[in-house]
Amino acid sequence: SLSLCYEDDLAAVGKKIKETATFLAFAKNKLHEATSLDVQTVRISFNPLGEWVNLSGKRSSVLERICLVDSILEKEGVAFASVGPITDTKHIGLAKEIVCKTKILNLSV
C-alpha cells in the first residue's frame, strides 16, 4: 500500500510511485530467484481516494490529478493500481469517470 496525501505535489507522488515500483520489481525478482515461482502481477494500492485527492475541489481538477497519477504509474511500468475506496457516497459518480479516463487505475466503492 502506498500512502499519498493532499499536500503531495506531482513530483512527490512520482517519487513515491517510482520507489514503490522499484521495490516491488526487486521483490518479484528475488522471489523468483529463491523459489522459481512466477509472479503474475504486481499491484499498488493507495489509501482511500479522499485522503489524497481533494474531492471537494472542482471535478476537473480531481480528474486531472487522478489522470496524472495514472500516467506516472504507466511510465513506471505498474500494470495495476487501486486508487483506494471512495468512502463518501456523494462521490460515487466519480467512480465511472475514473474507470473510463484511466488505463491503470481501478477502485472500489
Side-chain angles (χ1 to χ4, degrees), residues 23-60:
F23 171 77
L24 291 173
F26 173 80
K28 176 183 173 181
N29 290 335
K30 285 296 185 185
L31 180 65
H32 180 72
E33 289 172 9
T35 64
S36 297
L37 294 174
D38 289 323
V39 177
Q40 293 179 345
T41 59
V42 175
R43 304 168 183 210
I44 292 177
S45 61
F46 297 98
N47 46 316
L49 186 64
E51 293 178 12
W52 61 274
V53 174
N54 182 0
L55 295 175
S56 62
K58 290 187 346 184
R59 198 165 194 95
S60 60

Side-chain angles (χ1 to χ4, degrees), residues 71-93:
S71 66
I72 293 168
L73 288 161
E74 185 176 30
K75 178 183 164 226
E76 295 302 331
V78 176
F80 184 90
S82 172
V83 297
I86 294 178
T87 55
D88 188 334
T89 57
K90 70 181 174 185
H91 300 296
I92 296 296

Side-chain angles (χ1 to χ4, degrees), residues 85-106:
I86 294 178
T87 55
D88 188 334
T89 57
K90 70 181 174 185
H91 300 296
I92 296 296
L94 189 58
K96 179 181 176 185
E97 291 180 79
I98 292 170
V99 171
C100 289
K101 293 181 185 250
T102 62
K103 295 178 183 177
I104 308 297
L105 292 170
N106 67 70

